Amino acid sequence: MKLTISLQVTLDGVAQANGGNNQEMDPGFTRGGWALPLNDGEAVQYILDTWQRPDAFLLGRKTYGLFEKYWGARSDDGGFGEAISSKPKYLVSTTVTEPTWEPTTVISGDITARVRELKAQPGGELLVVGSAALARWLLENELVDELNLIQFPVIIGEGERLLPERGLDFALDLIESRVFGTGIVGLTYSVGGRPEYA
């Protein structure tokens, strides 16, 4: 399976709390909800199409818990809830042992080996949404095949960024780009190899 990361980010690379402030998940962070005023029908459909496409989802524990509460209760909405609830979910966690949101499989122990096993399955796509910390870890462990960034035209000046200040370098090839009416840009890159330096 191809492993794709799809995240909404600000121009300054923040991937935290796009849908709103949540004191439980993001204590002290007050700049959440930066994506909602800029969403339009076309951009939302683009993101929904991305969620409807994969064969399975790969999620970190915090994002899984948030999505289960919100999207799990909307499993027959014809939209995001149905897209994620109807597909297998792989949860990376050392604390959750018996997930209740079906179908979910917990991945713990040698996570790298387990993700490689999933990627070795023929065809299809394994999609990471939300889960910025997991996305960074997957990049650092060179497990990512494709990066889909939905970039919003806003700078919020603080918050958890997708990419660390220091880390591995990657060559990216642009596969697709879309610009939406509110200035949102969808960018899809294949990830592979090291960049060339002059």
Side-chain angles (χ1 to χ4, degrees):
M1 275 197 282
K2 173 178 72 174
L3 194 155
T4 301
I5 291 171
S6 181
L7 289 176
Q8 298 174 39
V9 296
T10 64
L11 190 60
D12 53 339
V14 174
Q16 181 178 7
N18 63 306
N21 291 317
N22 183 321
Q23 279 303 307
E24 183 182 334
M25 288 191 63
D26 303 296
F29 186 69
T30 59
R31 297 184 182 177
W34 45 264
L36 299 181
L38 295 163
N39 271 329
D40 64 17
E42 241 190 318
V44 170
Q45 186 61 52
Y46 173 82
I47 297 165
L48 178 57
D49 290 345
T50 302
W51 281 45
Q52 290 173 330
R53 186 182 66 213
D55 299 273
F57 287 85
L58 179 63
L59 302 166
R61 181 191 51 79
K62 281 174 60 176
T63 299
Y64 179 90
L66 178 70
F67 284 6
E68 180 181 21
K69 283 180 192 168
Y70 191 78
W71 297 121
R74 293 160 176 77
S75 60
D76 59 355
D77 64 354
F80 292 95
E82 185 174 313
I84 194 166
S85 293
S86 64
K87 304 277 178 73
K89 290 163 285 297
Y90 294 93
L91 166 61
V92 177
S93 177
T94 57
T95 57
V96 177
T97 55
E98 295 183 16
T100 57
W101 191 16
E102 294 297 330
T104 297
T105 302
V106 175
I107 296 176
S108 59
D110 189 346
I111 295 164
T112 303
R114 190 66 181 100
V115 171
R116 287 193 194 286
E117 287 173 15
L118 290 171
K119 285 172 52 75
Q121 294 179 10
E125 182 178 26
L126 181 62
L127 182 66
V128 178
V129 291
S131 307
L134 176 60
R136 279 192 302 276
W137 184 87
L138 291 165
L139 278 165
E140 281 295 310
N141 285 275
E142 302 185 80
L143 295 167
V144 179
D145 300 300
E146 213 167 88
L147 189 57
N148 172 240
L149 299 178
I150 300 100
Q151 188 178 67
F152 285 70
V154 62
I155 296 170
I156 63 168
E158 67 177 62
E160 183 181 359
R161 284 162 172 74
L162 168 59
L163 301 173
E165 188 175 332
R166 298 185 187 281
L168 288 180
D169 53 351
F170 294 94
L172 303 175
D173 289 318
L174 183 65
I175 298 171
E176 179 189 26
S177 64
R178 299 255 323 258
V179 180
F180 301 97
T182 57
I184 297 169
V185 180
L187 299 164
T188 303
Y189 300 96
S190 65
V191 180
R194 304 272 85 87
E196 294 181 14
Y197 298 97

